[in-house]
Amino acid sequence: MGAIGVIALNAFRESLRDKILYNLVLFAGLLIGLSVLLADLTITEHHKLIADMGLAAINFIGVIIAIFIGISLVNKEIERRTIYTIMARPISRTFFILGKYFGLVLTLFVNLSIMLAVFLVTLWLYHIPIGLSLLQAVQLIFVEILVVTAIALFFSTFSSTTLSAILTLGVYVIGHLTADVRSMAAKGESGTVKAVVDVFYYLFPNLETLNIKGQAAVGVLVAPEYLMLASLYGVVYAGVLLAGACAVFQQRDF
Amino acid sequence: MLHPFLRLLDNGVRRVKFAGSISAVKRGAIHAFFGLSLLAGASALLHHLEHERNTVARAEQLAYLPKGEYLRLAVLGYRQWVADLIWLQVVQHIGAKRDTQQGYRWTYHAVDVLTDLDPTFVAPYQATGIFLGVLAGRHEEGLAILNKGIRHNPVMWQLSFLAGYISYYELCNPVAGGQYLRMAAQVPGAPAYLPKLAARMTVEGGDPTAAFEFLDRFSSTVTDERIHGALVQRMKEIVQEKDLLFLEESIRRYRARYGHVPVKLEDLMLHGVIQQLPVDPLGGQYQVDYLTGTVSSSSTRERLRVHHKVACRAGAGRSRPPTWSNPVDTQLPVLQ
């Protein structure tokens, strides 16, 4: 196993020791379970309501875990001074960052799998048809989580834990608004505003392209090409952030 | 100076703190006791607050929702989730059955907002269309919500169908009703009877028999028991209205023949004006007003609303006589 693999495995083990992880996954389970109770209160379309709430819970908890564990991965090593023992070994800083990232991605994959299993069991128990569209939505949720994790890791390489959390949340919010802001700016007459908004549109991640929860809940499939391209966009964007994180971490003094 | 209770509490805490004789179990029990007492107090306060807060106050929450175009930005990628939660609030408000005109307005606003968040959520269009457009008498708002639903969900023929009913019977506009029904008929998978019903609607504006058929067909497509129940109730009201109009028409004939209004409805039967007295589907008794010749039912007090709507057929300039003038022509399905 290469250096990245060893660091990733260690990061995975370390995050498994984090109690907040279990609390959040439990909370997601409760949210999914609660959706069944809430669905009884609605008029028709119970299936949609359960699917909506299940997907939203998976997405929300996944993002929260990605942010709050992602920002602490590197900072924890620095605060505990364990970073010195790692840096003293013949391990490049790039491998360290990539190892940490893949370790967290593995953690998130396991969490997402648990939440998905709870969600699917809930659907199965209530005889709700499990369509491929739901799995497509979860796939893109995972890609969104990959991007958010990369954002959190990027900020954590040069700022404190609190600031990283604030900045990551900020980019997450912007990522969901860029498309709307761009369409609003397109209605205006100012060419400068349009140009500035366009720059921001391509600079920040467009997380709305990874959001197909609405149509998935009503069983509408997206085209495989879209699914592939959207996933590719997320992975490429996460790659850009990781490259940035590696570059910043390379320059950092401890 | 400390309140006697606080002094007691303070002494108790000191004793717990300093007296080494009290075991950890006892300390835990004391903490649990205080914790539970406070929880009981909070619960009592909450219970009291719940009584203070009436249904209207709950409905008011719906009024404070920002416009959908702004809210959809604020809720990020969780539009459907938030739309579901608003919808659950609206359903509870509708279910409370203590509605006011303001409450109806807020309901419309909330559904407008939630359908901005999730335009493909069909249930709110359908249920609010029935609630506002048919049951609450707010036809324009019901129709507006349905039009929005049709715009975003053109494959849902039920929305055009319901809009057709509201236009035809509630708004006395058979031409618009026919247009909606033709729109519904063009949707792939729509029932085969729609074009025929559309044609009939255009000819027989305001006819309660056609309205009944409309609701009967529509209710068979509705799976939710509460909506189905509301539609059946409405169908019973329409049957009752048909009965009342039929009896009043019979009283006019009786009056023309004998020069006075019958003392009781059975006289119509005794003198051969009608063959049998209709039975009120809502479980009441039909009574005649000897002075005016109008007939009412002991089961309902809101006859005029329906009556005026039906009366609009007179302005439609139809050449055919109303179908209820001849009881043989108006064979309505039996209501369960």
Side-chain angles (χ1 to χ4, degrees):
Chain A
M1 192 185 287
I4 295 178
V6 173
I7 295 169
L9 206 61
N10 272 326
F12 175 64
R13 281 184 192 141
E14 193 186 335
S15 38
L16 284 188
R17 283 189 219 116
D18 220 327
K19 286 195 182 69
I20 192 171
L21 196 74
Y22 299 101
N23 290 334
L24 286 171
V25 173
L26 184 71
F27 185 60
L30 286 174
L31 272 179
I32 294 167
L34 184 71
S35 67
V36 175
L37 296 176
L38 290 177
D40 276 345
L41 301 175
T42 186
I43 298 174
T44 69
E45 296 202 56
H46 303 82
H47 296 185
K48 180 195 174 298
L49 202 122
I50 292 174
D52 271 344
M53 297 220 168
L55 289 173
I58 291 173
N59 195 347
F60 184 68
I61 299 297
V63 167
I64 294 281
I65 293 173
I67 293 175
F68 287 98
I69 298 185
I71 54 168
S72 64
L73 271 183
V74 173
N75 278 323
K76 223 185 251 179
E77 298 277 2
I78 297 168
E79 280 165 19
R80 289 179 190 163
R81 299 176 195 282
T82 45
I83 188 100
Y84 300 118
T85 55
I86 300 167
M87 290 297 115
R89 292 168 187 274
I91 296 170
S92 78
R93 292 188 179 195
T94 303
F95 281 10
F96 175 75
I97 290 292
L98 291 179
K100 283 287 181 189
Y101 179 74
F102 288 120
L104 183 53
V105 165
L106 185 61
T107 312
L108 289 164
F109 180 75
V110 172
N111 281 327
L112 204 73
S113 304
I114 294 168
M115 290 191 283
L116 178 63
V118 173
F119 178 48
L120 294 180
V121 167
T122 308
L123 294 178
W124 177 73
L125 282 175
Y126 287 88
H127 311 290
I128 298 169
I130 298 168
L132 187 64
S133 62
L134 295 176
L135 300 178
Q136 284 185 333
V138 174
Q139 180 186 326
L140 290 189
I141 287 173
F142 184 63
V143 176
E144 185 186 59
I145 288 170
L146 291 184
V147 176
V148 174
T149 310
I151 298 168
L153 196 62
F154 172 71
F155 286 126
S156 72
T157 54
F158 62 85
S159 59
S160 67
T161 312
T162 314
L163 190 60
S164 299
I166 293 167
L167 291 171
T168 309
L169 274 171
V171 174
Y172 178 72
V173 171
I174 292 168
H176 277 284
L177 296 180
T178 49
D180 286 316
V181 173
R182 195 186 190 207
S183 63
M184 279 180 210
K187 289 175 193 162
E189 287 176 5
S190 169
T192 318
V193 172
K194 277 182 201 168
V196 171
V197 169
D198 271 351
V199 169
F200 276 99
Y201 180 74
Y202 290 107
L203 192 64
F204 284 95
N206 184 346
L207 298 177
E208 270 303 301
T209 55
L210 305 172
N211 179 17
I212 55 164
K213 294 193 290 289
Q215 59 194 88
V218 288
V220 178
L221 285 166
V222 295
E225 295 80 29
Y226 179 85
L227 198 67
M228 198 183 70
L229 288 173
S231 304
L232 190 65
Y233 167 73
V235 171
V236 169
Y237 197 90
V240 170
L241 287 164
L242 283 178
C246 292
V248 172
F249 197 64
Q250 205 75 39
Q251 306 299 319
R252 185 161 177 178
D253 290 326
F254 301 110
Chain B
M1 191 177 166
L2 277 175
H3 188 275
F5 175 73
L6 290 177
R7 203 164 50 225
L8 191 70
L9 187 70
D10 188 45
N11 288 340
V13 171
R14 273 186 200 166
R15 265 189 224 118
V16 170
K17 196 171 176 184
F18 296 113
S21 60
I22 298 176
S23 67
V25 177
K26 278 184 182 171
R27 274 205 298 274
I30 290 167
H31 288 150
F33 171 74
F34 280 121
L36 287 172
S37 304
L38 288 172
L39 184 66
S43 303
L45 279 171
L46 182 66
H47 185 69
H48 181 70
L49 283 169
E50 278 297 309
H51 278 284
E52 289 288 312
R53 197 175 164 201
N54 57 22
T55 313
V56 175
R58 270 191 213 112
E60 264 175 23
Q61 289 178 344
L62 304 174
Y64 300 136
L65 282 172
K67 281 185 176 176
E69 57 194 292
Y70 305 121
L71 193 60
R72 70 196 300 274
L73 294 176
V75 299
L76 304 177
Y78 301 95
R79 288 175 196 144
Q80 290 75 27
W81 195 11
V82 176
D84 291 343
L85 294 176
I86 298 173
W87 175 233
L88 288 175
Q89 288 274 329
V90 173
V91 169
Q92 302 322 303
H93 172 60
I94 291 174
K97 289 180 180 173
R98 261 191 269 163
D99 303 305
T100 59
Q101 290 303 314
Q102 237 178 6
Y104 294 141
R105 197 155 46 84
W106 295 332
T107 302
Y108 172 77
H109 172 64
V111 175
D112 190 35
V113 170
L114 80 90
T115 48
D116 277 345
L117 294 179
D118 188 359
T120 57
F121 195 3
V122 176
Y125 297 118
Q126 194 170 314
T128 315
I130 293 171
F131 176 63
L132 291 178
V134 180
L135 304 175
R138 312 234 346 163
H139 317 305
E140 302 295 346
E141 286 172 346
L143 210 51
I145 281 291
L146 286 168
N147 278 329
K148 189 177 178 185
I150 294 165
R151 217 166 42 245
H152 291 291
N153 305 276
V155 293
M156 295 300 298
W157 64 266
Q158 292 90 341
L159 299 178
S160 306
F161 186 89
L162 189 56
Y165 168 77
I166 293 171
S167 301
Y168 166 68
Y169 192 65
E170 306 287 344
L171 287 171
C172 301
N173 188 346
V175 177
Q179 280 171 351
Y180 277 118
L181 237 65
R182 278 189 289 279
M183 202 192 291
Q186 283 167 6
V187 175
Y193 60 77
L194 283 181
K196 202 184 282 182
L197 195 60
R200 187 178 160 203
M201 180 190 290
T202 314
V203 176
E204 299 173 5
D207 174 14
T209 314
F212 183 95
E213 187 183 339
F214 228 118
L215 287 184
D216 190 36
R217 301 265 196 195
F218 188 69
S219 65
S220 66
T221 67
V222 172
T223 50
D224 188 85
E225 281 178 17
R226 285 166 288 185
I227 295 184
H228 190 266
L231 289 174
V232 168
Q233 175 70 15
R234 190 63 170 173
M235 284 193 280
K236 285 180 179 176
E237 284 174 14
I238 289 173
V239 172
Q240 188 190 62
E241 180 58 27
K242 181 201 77 71
D243 288 346
L244 294 174
L245 289 168
F246 164 65
L247 288 170
E248 283 175 355
E249 177 65 28
S250 306
I251 286 168
R252 271 194 289 278
R253 279 190 277 148
Y254 181 97
R255 198 175 194 169
R257 198 186 295 174
Y258 299 103
H260 61 90
V261 171
V263 179
K264 48 189 192 301
L265 288 172
E266 284 75 8
D267 290 350
L268 294 170
M269 219 162 54
L270 290 173
H271 290 86
V273 179
I274 58 173
Q275 290 173 352
Q276 61 177 47
L277 277 176
V279 179
D280 184 357
L282 291 168
Q285 293 289 324
Y286 292 135
Q287 298 147 348
V288 61
D289 184 336
Y290 184 72
L291 294 175
T292 60
T294 54
V295 186
S296 60
S297 168
S298 58
S299 63
T300 179
R301 278 179 284 173
E302 282 195 29
R303 188 210 161 175
L304 274 177
R305 193 161 62 90
V306 179
H307 178 73
H308 281 156
K309 263 182 223 122
V310 174
C312 72
R313 81 206 175 323
R318 297 176 325 105
S319 55
R320 291 177 54 177
T323 46
W324 59 76
S325 61
N326 183 356
V328 181
D329 288 347
T330 52
Q331 292 300 313
L332 297 175
V334 178
L335 287 164
Q336 298 300 313

